[in-house]
Amino acid sequence: MHAYAWLTILFLVLIRRALAAIHVTPSTLPSLTFDFVIIGGGPGGSVVANRLTEDPNVTVLLLEAGGSQVIASTHLILPLFVVFLASPSPRDWNYSSIPQKGLDNQTLFVPRAKILGGCSSISNAHLSSHQSPSLRLVAMHVDGMLYLRGSSEDWDRFANITGDDGWSWEGMQQYFFKNEKWTPPVDRHNTTGQFDPNIHGFHGINSVSVANFPTPIDGKVLEAASQLGAPWPFNLDPNSGNHLGVGWVPDTIKDGTRSSAAKSYLAPEFVERKNLHVLLNAHVRKVVNRGMDGSKLVFGAVQFAQADKATKEVIISAGSINTPQLLLLSGIGPKSDLNALSLPTLLDLPSVGANLSVHIALYVSHAVNSADTFDDIIRNATLREQFTQEWLGNGHRGRLADTETSQAAFVRLPQDADIFKREQDPAAGPHTGHIQMGIYNGNPSFGSNSLSTGNFITVSARLITPTSRGSVKLNTTDPFNKPLIDLGSLTSEFDKFALREGVKIVRGLFTAPVWDGYILGEVGALANATTDEEIEAVARTDGAPDGHIVGTAAMSHRDALFGVVDPDLKVKGANGLRVVDASIFVSTGNTQVPTYAVGERAADLIKADWGLL
Ligand SMILES: Cc1cc2nc3c(=O)[nH]c(=O)nc-3n(C[C@H](O)[C@H](O)[C@H](O)COP(=O)(O)OP(=O)(O)OC[C@H]3O[C@@H](n4cnc5c(N)ncnc54)[C@H](O)[C@@H]3O)c2cc1C
Ligand SMILES: *[C@@H]1O[C@H](CO)[C@@H](O)[C@H](O)[C@H]1NC(C)=O
Ligand SMILES: *[C@@H]1O[C@H](CO)[C@@H](O)[C@H](O)[C@H]1NC(C)=O
Ligand SMILES: *[C@@H]1O[C@H](CO)[C@@H](O)[C@H](O)[C@H]1NC(C)=O
Ligand SMILES: *[C@@H]1O[C@H](CO)[C@@H](O)[C@H](O)[C@H]1NC(C)=O
Ligand SMILES: *[C@@H]1O[C@H](CO)[C@@H](O)[C@H](O)[C@H]1NC(C)=O
Ligand SMILES: *[C@@H]1O[C@H](CO)[C@@H](O)[C@H](O)[C@H]1NC(C)=O
Ligand SMILES: *[C@@H]1O[C@H](CO)[C@@H](O)[C@H](O)[C@H]1NC(C)=O
Ligand SMILES: *[C@@H]1O[C@H](CO)[C@@H](O)[C@H](O)[C@H]1NC(C)=O
Ligand SMILES: *[C@@H]1O[C@H](CO)[C@@H](O)[C@H](O)[C@H]1NC(C)=O
C-alpha cells in the first residue's frame, strides 16, 4: 500500500516534468516576449525550436494551431495505418482544391496536418465517417514516413539556383547526419544488403529504420529486377545521392512506431528545457512589423489570441499551404492580389503563393494468387483490431510495424523519349529519376475505389519532376477561411507524357518471369487502358497529387527578381522574418527529409547571425 502510493506520486511527477513546457492556453506562458517566435510545429519548426534552445541563453516560443499527439490515440503511431491517413478530421486543416483543370475539373481533398509534428504526425486510424461525397479523397493512396533525401543533383541544382554552396549535396551532408538516428528494425533481423551504413547518421534525433516486417513480395521484386536488367539495377541505398534503380527504402520508424517531428525533436527531454515553450491551439493570424531598418521592414511580433513579441526573429514554419496564406494575410505578397482584397501591401512580393509544385501518381494494381497481403487488414476491422492487440502486446512487432511499402524504384524516361525533342528535361541531371515507384503488398485504396475481395500487388508511378505549377491565394481576409488552392496538376505537356510513360514502365516490371503463377492480371481503372489516350483519360480521373507540396515561398538567388526568401531563408526586403519549411523548395523529391535538413541548416544560420551557441 505504502509502496504503491509512492509509485503513483513518482509517476505524476514524471508526467508533470514531461509536459512542463507544453501549454494549452497562453495564460500559463511565463512572458509574452521571447527571443524567437516560431509559427508551426512540423518538421521545419520543430527542428529550429529544438536547436535554438540548445543555447540556454535564448528563449523560444513555438506556436502550433493544432493539438498534441501526446493525447492522441495509439493508432496515430501505428506504421501500417498510414493507409488510413488523409481524411477530414479535427487533426487536419480539411482543405480542398479549387476545380482542377488537368483533372477533369475535379475538386480534391488536400491533406495538411493540424497537430504538433505537422504532416509527419498524421494518420487516421478509422475509416472516416464524415467524408464528403463531393470530394475525391485522392490521397487515399499515400506513402508515408519514407526516408528519402533526394538525388545529389537536386541539391546541387538548388545550390546553383540560389548561389549558395551550403545548399549543395556536399554542404547538406552534415545536416542529414544531425537529423538521422539509424536504428535496427523492430524484428532485429540482419539488415546487411538493405542499406549502406557508411552514408547514414547514427547519432541524430529522428529515428530511421528499414524493413520492420518482411513481405512475400520483397524477394520477388528484387528477382524481377535482376531478371530484367536495365532500367532496374539493384541499388543498395537510394539515399547515397544516386537513387536510380530498385532497392529497400527506409522509413522514419522507431521500434515499430512512427517517429514524427513531435516524437523526436519535441521529445520530453527537449520540451522540458526551461527556455522552450510550446503553445498548442494557437492559430496565428498574421505577423506584424515594428518599423524600418534602413530599406528593410523589421518584423517582431505575431498575432494570435494576444500579441507575442520576438526580440530577435519571427520564424514562419506553417507548411506549404499555410505559410503563403499567413504571408498574404500579413500584407506580404503580390500587390495586385492584396489590393483586390483591400489589404495594405507591406512588401510587394509577387512570388508568394506562386509556383506551387506537387508530385502526382497513378497506381497500377494486379490481382495475385496469394492470401498473404495486407488487403484483409484494410477491409476487415475485426482482423485489424486483432493485429493491433498483437502489436500492443508484442513489443510493437508484427505486420503493423511497417508501412505498406518497404521497397521502391527510381527510373528515368528513356533519353530518346519523344518529349525531349520538344521540351527540356526537367530532372536536375542524368542521375535523377522522373518516376518514383512504391511497391505495395496489397491495394492501399479504399472508399469508392476499394476492391472488396481479392488480394493484390500495387506499384505506384509517381511523377517527381512535374513542370505543372499551381498556386495558393486568399479567398477572403478572414484568417479562419480556407485559402484557394490550385494544385495545377497535369496542366503541362511534359507531365501528361511522363505520367503515362511511367505507367508503361511500371507494367514493364511485371513482364519478368518471376511473376508467373503469382500475378493473375491487372485490375482497377487502368486495367483496360492501353493506348496513350486511354491512359491519359485515367490519369485525369484517378491521378493522385500527393503531400509533397513545395515552391509557394521559394528561395532564390539574392539578386533574383522573383522568389520569396533569400539563401539565408530571410524574407526578401525584411529583417527579423524567415521561412523555414517545405515551401522554400523550388522542386524536390520526397519532402520530409529535405525539410528536416533545411530546419537543421536554418538553425545554424540563425545561430551564426546572433552569435548563439
Ligand atoms: C498524406 C501525406 C503523406 C506524406 N508522406 C510523405 C513521405 O512518405 N515521405 C516524405 O518525404 N514526405 C511525405 N509527406 C510530406 C511531408 O510530411 C511534408 O513535406 C512535411 O511534413 C513538411 O513539413 P513542414 O514543416 O513544411 O510543414 P507541415 O508538416 O505542414 O507543418 C506545419 C505546421 O504548422 C502548423 N500551422 C499552420 N498554420 C499555422 C498558423 N497559422 N498558426 C500556427 N500553426 C500553424 C500546422 O498545424 C502544422 O503543424 C507527406 C505529406 C502528407 C500530407
Ligand atoms: C545572454 O543574452 C543577453 C541578451 O540577449 C546578453 O546580454 C548576455 O550577454 C547573454 N549571455 C551570454 C552568456 O551569452
Ligand atoms: C470539412 O470541410 C467540409 C466542407 O468542405 C465540411 O463539410 C466538413 O464538415 C469538414 N469536416 C471536418 C471534420 O471539419
Ligand atoms: C472544366 O471547366 C471549364 C471551365 O468551366 C470548361 O471549359 C471545361 O469544359 C471543363 N472540362 C470538363 C472536362 O468538364
Ligand atoms: C549555375 O550553373 C551554370 C551552368 O553550369 C553556371 O554557368 C552558373 O554560373 C551557375 N550559377 C551559380 C550561381 O552558381
Ligand atoms: C549478416 O549477414 C551478413 C551477410 O549475409 C554476414 O556477413 C554478417 O555476419 C551477418 N551479421 C550478423 C550479425 O549475423
Ligand atoms: C516561378 O519560377 C520560375 C522559375 O524559377 C521563375 O522564373 C518565375 O519568375 C517564378 N514566378 C513567380 C511568380 O514567382
Ligand atoms: C474478419 O476477420 C475475422 C478475424 O480474423 C474473421 O473471423 C472474419 O471471418 C473476417 N471477416 C470477413 C468478412 O472476412
Ligand atoms: C470563398 O469565399 C466565399 C465568400 O465567403 C464563399 O462563398 C466561397 O465558398 C469561398 N470559396 C472557397 C473555395 O472556399
Ligand atoms: C476490362 O475489360 C474486361 C473485358 O472487356 C471487362 O470484363 C472488365 O470489366 C474491364 N475492367 C474495367 C476495370 O473496366
Side-chain angles (χ1 to χ4, degrees):
M1 187 64 187
H2 190 82
Y4 177 78
W6 185 84
L7 270 177
T8 308
I9 288 162
L10 181 67
F11 184 57
L12 289 176
V13 169
L14 286 175
I15 296 268
R16 279 180 59 97
R17 267 174 63 84
L19 298 178
I22 293 196
H23 306 260
V24 292
T25 154
S27 62
T28 59
L29 289 176
S31 146
L32 288 180
T33 302
F34 296 83
D35 291 323
F36 299 93
V37 175
I38 300 168
I39 304 164
S46 300
V47 174
V48 179
N50 177 306
R51 294 300 184 188
L52 291 185
T53 52
E54 285 175 338
D55 185 334
N57 197 27
V58 303
T59 56
V60 170
L61 174 64
L62 174 63
L63 296 166
E64 167 54 49
S68 161
Q69 62 175 3
V70 173
I71 45 172
S73 76
T74 323
H75 288 142
L76 210 57
I77 57 169
L78 251 162
L80 185 77
F81 288 176
V82 71
V83 296
F84 297 123
L85 196 104
S87 51
S89 87
R91 293 188 292 264
D92 195 281
W93 287 89
N94 195 16
Y95 289 148
S96 50
S97 73
I98 62 172
Q100 294 298 285
K101 278 204 200 77
L103 301 172
D104 283 352
N105 291 341
Q106 293 181 85
T107 295
L108 307 178
F109 177 64
V110 179
R112 285 284 107 185
K114 186 181 185 180
I115 188 171
L116 203 59
C119 296
S120 71
S121 290
I122 51 170
S123 166
N124 277 343
H126 316 283
L127 299 176
S128 173
S129 54
H130 38 236
Q131 291 172 9
S132 158
S134 62
L135 289 183
R136 184 154 71 79
L137 301 172
V138 278
M140 289 297 94
H141 316 276
V142 291
D143 54 359
M145 292 176 267
L146 297 185
Y147 178 92
L148 288 163
R149 298 170 178 170
S151 76
S152 57
E153 293 165 343
D154 278 336
W155 289 97
D156 290 343
R157 178 166 67 179
F158 201 38
N160 181 285
I161 290 171
T162 58
D164 177 353
D165 254 359
W167 296 113
S168 68
W169 176 254
E170 254 333 286
M172 292 304 285
Q173 287 307 306
Q174 55 176 312
Y175 299 114
F176 295 135
F177 277 67
K178 285 186 91 167
N179 168 247
E180 184 182 24
K181 186 182 176 67
W182 188 274
T183 49
V186 71
D187 65 2
R188 298 290 189 273
H189 72 270
N190 186 340
T191 52
T192 304
Q194 296 185 338
F195 79 116
D196 177 0
N198 297 316
I199 59 159
H200 286 275
F202 290 78
H203 308 289
I205 292 186
N206 197 13
S207 297
V208 177
S209 60
V210 71
N212 281 277
F213 186 78
T215 80
I217 59 168
D218 296 341
K220 287 192 167 57
V221 170
L222 299 182
E223 180 63 21
S226 94
Q227 286 175 342
L228 292 168
W232 311 97
F234 175 69
N235 184 339
L236 174 62
D237 203 313
N239 286 302
S240 66
N242 176 8
H243 61 193
L244 292 177
V246 187
W248 299 87
V249 54
D251 295 297
T252 44
I253 292 178
K254 179 191 188 186
D255 297 335
T257 69
R258 174 187 286 265
S259 177
S260 64
K263 286 244 156 200
S264 56
Y265 281 88
L266 300 176
E269 62 178 303
F270 304 119
V271 166
E272 73 184 17
R273 286 175 184 159
K274 292 206 164 45
N275 54 343
L276 173 59
H277 293 271
V278 178
L279 178 59
L280 303 175
N281 314 315
H283 183 158
V284 174
R285 295 170 198 176
K286 60 172 175 168
V287 296
V288 182
N289 73 307
R290 298 189 303 175
M292 299 286 292
D293 174 10
S295 63
K296 301 223 168 182
L297 266 180
V298 183
F299 284 81
V302 310
Q303 256 183 24
F304 63 108
Q306 47 204 117
D308 265 80
K309 284 196 272 305
T311 54
K312 295 189 169 71
E313 292 194 19
V314 174
I315 292 138
I316 305 183
S317 303
S320 298
I321 304 294
N322 288 35
T323 285
Q325 180 196 30
L326 193 57
L327 289 169
L328 293 167
L329 287 167
S330 309
I332 303 171
K335 188 170 186 160
S336 51
D337 289 3
L338 296 171
N339 279 351
L341 289 164
S342 306
L343 279 171
T345 302
L346 294 184
L347 285 170
D348 181 14
L349 287 179
S351 300
V352 172
N355 272 333
L356 180 154
S357 171
V358 62
H359 302 159
I360 182 167
L362 274 175
Y363 290 75
V364 179
S365 200
H366 287 83
V368 299
N369 184 18
S370 159
D372 193 4
T373 66
F374 63 66
D375 297 290
D376 284 322
I377 307 174
I378 307 294
R379 286 190 290 250
N380 183 338
T382 316
L383 190 61
R384 195 152 70 235
E385 187 51 30
Q386 222 169 301
F387 275 112
T388 304
Q389 291 309 323
E390 263 179 53
W391 178 84
L392 285 168
N394 189 23
H396 298 160
R397 272 172 250 262
R399 70 180 315 150
L400 303 191
D402 214 329
T403 62
E404 73 276 35
T405 170
S406 39
Q407 293 177 332
F410 288 87
V411 179
R412 285 180 57 78
L413 298 177
Q415 214 54 51
D416 59 0
D418 194 41
I419 192 78
F420 296 132
K421 295 185 188 122
R422 301 188 296 276
E423 302 213 13
Q424 208 190 327
D425 182 356
H431 305 291
T432 301
H434 300 101
I435 302 293
Q436 176 184 348
M437 296 160 42
I439 295 148
Y440 304 77
N441 182 37
N443 187 328
S445 66
F446 68 98
S448 59
N449 299 323
S450 90
L451 297 157
S452 54
T453 57
N455 295 83
F456 307 94
I457 181 173
T458 303
V459 177
S460 56
R462 184 179 310 276
L463 172 61
I464 56 169
T465 56
T467 60
S468 301
R469 293 292 180 264
S471 63
V472 174
K473 291 175 189 284
L474 293 182
N475 185 28
T476 74
T477 56
D478 181 345
F480 295 97
N481 277 177
K482 296 172 186 178
L484 300 173
I485 302 168
D486 181 5
L487 299 171
S489 290
L490 290 191
T491 51
S492 75
E493 259 336 285
F494 176 82
D495 291 7
K496 290 180 214 169
F497 178 93
L499 188 56
R500 126 193 142 207
E501 293 307 307
V503 168
K504 297 180 193 168
I505 291 171
V506 169
R507 284 176 174 162
L509 183 66
F510 291 102
T511 61
V514 69
W515 301 113
D516 291 350
Y518 189 78
I519 296 292
L520 299 176
E522 201 175 325
V523 297
L526 272 174
N528 292 335
T530 47
T531 66
D532 289 352
E533 291 70 27
E534 286 164 351
I535 299 174
E536 280 188 29
V538 177
R540 286 194 300 274
T541 55
D542 283 41
D546 61 20
H548 307 153
I549 300 175
V550 300
T552 49
M555 192 197 301
S556 66
H557 197 279
R558 220 168 279 285
D559 302 328
L561 295 174
F562 59 93
V564 177
V565 298
D566 68 19
D568 292 335
L569 301 164
K570 290 180 180 160
V571 171
K572 289 170 182 261
N575 272 339
L577 188 62
R578 290 189 217 231
V579 175
V580 182
D581 62 23
S583 49
I584 62 107
F585 292 109
V586 175
S587 65
T588 51
N590 294 49
T591 44
Q592 170 182 223
V593 185
T595 307
Y596 280 119
V598 162
E600 289 284 5
R601 178 152 195 249
D604 267 10
L605 293 171
I606 296 167
K607 285 179 173 185
D609 268 12
W610 296 99
L612 307 178
L613 300 177

